[in-house]
Amino acid sequence: MELGMVGLGRMGGNMALRISKGGHNVVGYDPNQQVVQDYVKQGISGASSLEDLVGQLSAPRAVWSMVPSGDVTEATVNRLSELLSPGDMVIDGGNSYYKDSMRRAAVLGEKDIYFMDSGTSGGIWGVTEGYSLMVGGDPAAFNRLEPILQTLATAVDKGYGRVGPAGAGHFVKMVHNGIEYGMMQAYAEGFEIMEAKKEFNLDMADIAEIWRYGSVVRSWLLDLTAAALQEEPDLASLQAYVDDSGEGRWTVQESVDLAVPAPVISASLQARFRSRQENSFGARLLAAMRNQFGGHAVRRAE
């Protein structure tokens, strides 16, 4: 099977390589032509534009988009809808908001073009370890796409599946990322407590390595934590600034809309917000209030 890949950034390029190494023809396009040429050297076919990419594919075509969510995805899907023909397929493997995916599926459906949303987890390690793929869309289109999914996944019978209609794939990935926020925060808090216990002189990297085998809290995230601590035990070169892709926010909002409690995910999202504030007004106000009611000492700005 052949596939068009739009967006050869690091993850998209790794996916293209895994597909091509699985025996499928991949035509790749990225606005940065140097990126295209880099992956051409590794075995995929290159395209100079979306028009060129579509022209190199035989019908019925399948085009996988791996571009940032929001305006870039919107523009890419809109342009593909103009270039593709009835029976063709667009797969959005990025982190789009699931309601946008539902809308895009409806718009493309009016042109008899299939739209599949694939929540994709695996990051830069996916090229060797395989990806977890949560797919929403038409069952017949899923069956047609399945050989590609089997190539991308961890095995031909593991790590992928159709989870529901259009939008369901990105919805499930959204919740997946919300869970990820909570797990990451729990690890961060636990290791910080241990690091603060100076009298024990605990070796964080060694403890992470011990926990990787047999412990109840072992996970791939713990594997990555151990690797980071081995590289730099005190993490001195990093700033305590944690960004978010937006999916944690969407998960928390969905919990509010559905009246489903999600205190851990909500708190982990708030912790990320706090990490971006070097000298927050709220924290200064807390200090001022303690000083007002109890005369507690405060630290004055220099």
Side-chain angles (χ1 to χ4, degrees):
M1 182 177 179
E2 61 181 16
L3 180 77
M5 175 71 76
V6 180
L8 294 177
R10 183 155 45 167
M11 185 172 179
N14 286 347
M15 292 180 71
L17 289 179
R18 188 172 177 88
I19 296 168
S20 64
K21 290 176 181 178
H24 305 284
N25 180 45
V26 179
V27 181
Y29 166 70
D30 191 279
N32 185 338
Q33 281 297 297
Q34 184 57 56
V35 173
V36 176
Q37 294 309 311
D38 290 343
Y39 282 104
V40 166
K41 294 175 183 177
Q42 299 183 65
I44 74 168
S45 301
S48 59
S49 64
L50 288 179
E51 292 82 356
D52 183 26
L53 180 139
V54 171
Q56 292 189 50
L57 299 172
S58 57
R61 303 171 187 85
V63 179
W64 191 302
S65 173
M66 286 297 293
V67 300
S69 63
D71 293 342
V72 180
T73 294
E74 186 77 8
T76 301
V77 173
N78 286 343
R79 183 58 183 143
L80 287 172
S81 73
E82 298 168 352
L83 297 171
L84 296 175
S85 304
D88 291 346
M89 181 192 311
V90 175
I91 309 104
D92 178 7
N95 287 332
S96 294
Y97 185 42
Y98 80 94
K99 291 184 179 179
D100 288 336
S101 297
M102 295 172 68
R103 172 178 54 78
R104 289 167 186 148
V107 172
L108 267 65
E110 294 176 356
K111 298 184 177 183
D112 292 326
I113 298 172
Y114 295 106
F115 180 88
M116 310 290 288
D117 54 296
S118 177
T120 306
S121 181
I124 60 175
W125 296 92
V127 67
T128 55
E129 303 297 324
Y131 296 89
S132 176
L133 302 155
M134 303 140 263
V135 184
D138 180 83
F142 174 84
N143 292 338
R144 196 177 109 206
L145 184 64
E146 193 164 15
I148 295 293
L149 301 175
Q150 291 174 331
T151 302
L152 285 170
T154 55
V156 295
D157 58 347
K158 294 183 178 70
Y160 78 95
R162 177 182 176 272
V163 297
H170 281 151
F171 180 83
V172 172
K173 177 55 163 48
M174 176 189 77
V175 177
H176 163 284
N177 279 27
I179 294 170
E180 179 185 291
Y181 279 36
M183 292 175 65
M184 292 172 68
Q185 186 65 28
Y187 280 129
E189 292 175 8
F191 276 91
E192 186 166 16
I193 292 169
M194 291 188 291
E195 196 275 336
K197 193 68 171 176
K198 301 299 184 184
E199 64 190 270
F200 286 164
N201 192 29
L202 299 173
D203 186 327
M204 297 298 102
D206 185 49
I207 292 168
E209 195 65 24
I210 292 169
W211 284 359
R212 289 181 62 208
Y213 301 96
S215 83
V216 174
V217 298
R218 64 187 183 273
S219 71
W220 188 54
L221 278 175
L222 181 60
D223 293 344
L224 298 178
T225 300
L229 291 170
Q230 289 287 349
E231 292 174 7
E232 188 178 15
D234 62 1
L235 305 177
S237 68
L238 299 179
Q239 294 184 7
Y241 182 103
V242 186
D243 214 337
D244 72 284
S245 64
E247 292 193 290
R249 303 183 192 208
W250 299 337
T251 304
V252 171
Q253 184 59 57
E254 199 69 29
S255 77
V256 173
D257 293 343
L258 296 172
V260 175
V264 172
I265 296 174
S266 299
S268 66
L269 176 64
Q270 297 298 328
R272 293 193 179 197
F273 293 158
R274 176 62 78 179
S275 78
R276 302 169 205 169
Q277 298 178 321
E278 294 184 2
N279 186 19
S280 76
F281 179 81
R284 298 201 307 274
L285 187 57
L286 284 173
M289 285 188 284
R290 292 185 76 244
N291 178 257
Q292 286 290 326
F293 69 69
H296 300 285
V298 294
R299 295 184 181 184
R300 299 290 178 182
E302 297 181 359

